[in-house]
Amino acid sequence: NTAVSKLVYEWIAGTDVQGPDGIVRAKKGQLELLSNVDDDGRYIAKPRTILVDSAQLESGEAMKQDFKDAAGHEIEQFKDEYRNRFPGADIDKLTDEDLLREVMNTVGKPGRLGEGVRCVVSVSMLTEGWDANTVTHVLGIRRFGSQLLCEQVVGRGLRRRSYDVNEQGRFEPEYAEVYGVPFQFIGGKRVGDDKPKLPTIHVRSLPERAHLRIEFPILAGYRVELFDEPMTVEFTPESRLHVDKTQIATLTQVEGIVGEKVEHSLTDAADARSQQVAFAVAKTLVERHYAALDDVPRPWLFPRLLQISKQWLDECVTYEPGTTVGHLVAFAELTHKAAERVHQSIVQQQGNQRELLTPVMRDHDNRGSTDGVTFFSRKHAISIERSHVSHVVLDGPSGNTWEETIALLLDEHPHVTSFVKNDHLGFEIPYVHAGVSHRYLPDFLVRLAPDESGVDRTLIVEVSGGRKSPGPTNTKAQTARDHWCRSVNNHGGFGRWAYVELTDMTTAHSLLNTAIANLYADGFMTGLTTD
């Protein structure tokens, strides 16, 4: 109960006691690493041990003023997050009890209110929904009336710190010591006699390098804005589509829980006329790619898109023997793929019109940065200097020599102010392939040194080849160049961006220099590749 928890808390963390002379002094706790009172009898600014129970939350003394003073930056960060989570909420009404709950929810998370907490004394507050992954010891000082409660309490120690695999492709075992909880689990033997080493590398944002911070927008998609100019198109080799039998299921059987089995064949679709297929492609374009700001389709664009779709069918689509134009409307996947090819051709032709493509920002948390990066890794990593984040973690069990080469090149490049590996950063490029939405994570973000214009310039770098898996598909790279960079540049609020894909290490240095030079020369440069 709360009376016992207060005694336990005071024994561990220390408390005020009245001496024989009547003066109240702070008495140090019994456990050196968990005491909130130092050797001089003073309370430390950020407590190592906290008490979380109903009595403490209702006491009005949940948070000491010296802690609020010392954790001013973290409190302001929490208020900003609270404001984003609950638009319109009055942050001035946040109480000390709200702050204590935030401390509890962020135990062990660097840069947050609970960063310095080493011990939590709690009564029925941590049974579920608590995601601290730094729990090493669980001590139960109560009567447990059910196995379910035991499972909930022990569950507080089951969050992994690292999800990196070892050279055998498996997770390393992690342990938590549990005392006083009558809990039985499947098995009871440890894997080996010694505990494995903790993750060897703590990759994190370094406060002393805050001047190397990189900020980026987080997009949900892209929007095409058209003007009075006629919609024109120029087809490229990327506009072509070949229809073969491997993309087509010739017979589909559908059978419900009750009722008769129904068979669908492609006979009707195969007989569809070219006009019908062009109609379906144009309809998909209007609904998916040319919606207005409120996502309402703009049907007046349909006649011109229908003409372009007919032209695309005549000039860019080829068929394997046994397939017909009708097969493009037999499956939604093929129809979406056709619409994507047409859409990309229109955007490429009108790419010199800056207002054509605009970003659709994510509703919440639509800005990201290198702040708050923190994770543990057993992968091969290298320390760098020109980065807000301490290390570059290389992909693959033995590292990636290509990524390492590029990272060291960026760390010494005269035009690079800072860079960061896109690892636990949250930077994603949304793209659509075959009618399905995906997220693409490029390798590096590179902030260039400012020039006389004062415009921020950032280069997205993808490293393909070497020991890593194959580089981004044409769809990924094309979306990054022609959609993400162009739309963000048109937005105007995030500086100038460009994209470059390095696929050949013999030309990587010169190609990188060319991309940087073009980004300085033209803010709307969309990138270069070796292809």
Side-chain angles (χ1 to χ4, degrees), residues 73-315:
H73 175 75
E74 291 84 353
I75 291 176
E76 290 303 316
Q77 180 183 2
F78 166 61
K79 289 182 177 179
D80 289 341
E81 293 176 357
Y82 190 87
R83 188 185 295 110
N84 292 332
R85 246 182 295 162
F86 306 102
D90 188 357
I91 61 173
D92 294 330
K93 293 184 179 180
L94 289 174
T95 64
D96 288 354
E97 289 70 36
D98 295 323
L99 295 180
L100 180 61
R101 287 189 174 93
E102 176 65 10
V103 171
M104 179 185 72
N105 291 333
T106 58
V107 167
K109 298 181 179 180
R112 307 294 291 276
L113 278 174
E115 175 181 6
V117 174
R118 300 176 178 176
C119 176
V120 179
V121 180
S122 167
V123 179
S124 299
M125 300 292 284
L126 306 180
T127 53
E128 59 184 28
W130 192 57
D131 65 351
N133 66 349
T134 53
V135 176
T136 59
H137 295 73
V138 179
L139 174 60
I141 313 178
R142 60 167 297 165
R143 182 179 66 85
F144 290 89
S146 70
Q147 182 67 16
L148 176 61
L149 180 59
C150 295
E151 293 174 0
Q152 290 176 329
V153 173
V154 173
R156 299 312 98 214
L158 297 183
R159 297 249 180 198
R160 292 189 60 85
R161 298 191 69 178
S162 172
Y163 287 88
D164 291 327
V165 297
N166 56 26
E167 294 184 357
Q168 287 75 42
R170 300 177 180 273
F171 293 142
E172 292 287 353
E174 296 179 356
Y175 301 98
E177 301 281 0
V178 180
Y179 302 93
V181 183
F183 175 75
Q184 293 182 347
F185 193 63
I186 299 174
K189 297 182 180 180
R190 285 188 170 180
V191 184
D193 297 330
D194 299 324
K195 293 182 180 180
K197 295 180 179 179
L198 292 176
T200 55
I201 301 173
H202 185 191
V203 183
R204 64 196 185 281
S205 302
L206 301 176
E208 62 272 20
R209 297 189 191 173
H211 61 287
L212 301 179
R213 179 178 184 268
I214 296 178
E215 188 178 54
F216 52 86
I218 302 177
L219 273 57
Y222 317 95
R223 179 180 295 112
V224 176
E225 298 296 333
L226 296 179
F227 302 94
D228 296 333
E229 292 85 353
M231 187 186 300
T232 58
V233 65
E234 180 177 317
F235 298 121
T236 66
E238 287 75 21
S239 305
R240 299 184 180 280
L241 178 65
H242 181 69
V243 182
D244 59 55
K245 293 182 178 179
T246 62
Q247 301 171 297
I248 301 170
T250 57
L251 181 66
T252 303
Q253 294 181 346
V254 181
E255 185 175 3
I257 298 176
V258 296
E260 297 181 357
K261 178 172 61 177
V262 179
E263 293 186 354
H264 298 278
S265 68
L266 295 182
T267 304
D268 295 337
D271 296 335
R273 295 177 293 111
S274 178
Q275 175 77 4
Q276 181 181 347
V277 176
F279 189 98
V281 173
K283 179 175 181 290
T284 303
L285 283 167
V286 171
E287 294 176 344
R288 190 176 184 92
H289 297 287
Y290 293 95
L293 293 177
D294 53 0
D295 291 330
V296 176
R298 295 181 283 190
W300 58 89
L301 300 176
F302 180 81
R304 178 55 182 149
L305 291 172
L306 180 59
Q307 293 176 350
I308 294 175
S309 298
K310 291 179 181 178
Q311 183 182 351
W312 177 78
L313 287 173
D314 294 337
E315 299 179 12

Side-chain angles (χ1 to χ4, degrees), residues 47-67:
R48 298 167 180 163
T49 299
I50 61 172
L51 174 61
V52 185
D53 59 30
S54 57
Q56 180 73 359
L57 291 175
E58 297 168 1
S59 67
E61 302 177 353
M63 195 75 63
K64 294 182 180 295
Q65 185 60 42
D66 53 356
F67 173 72

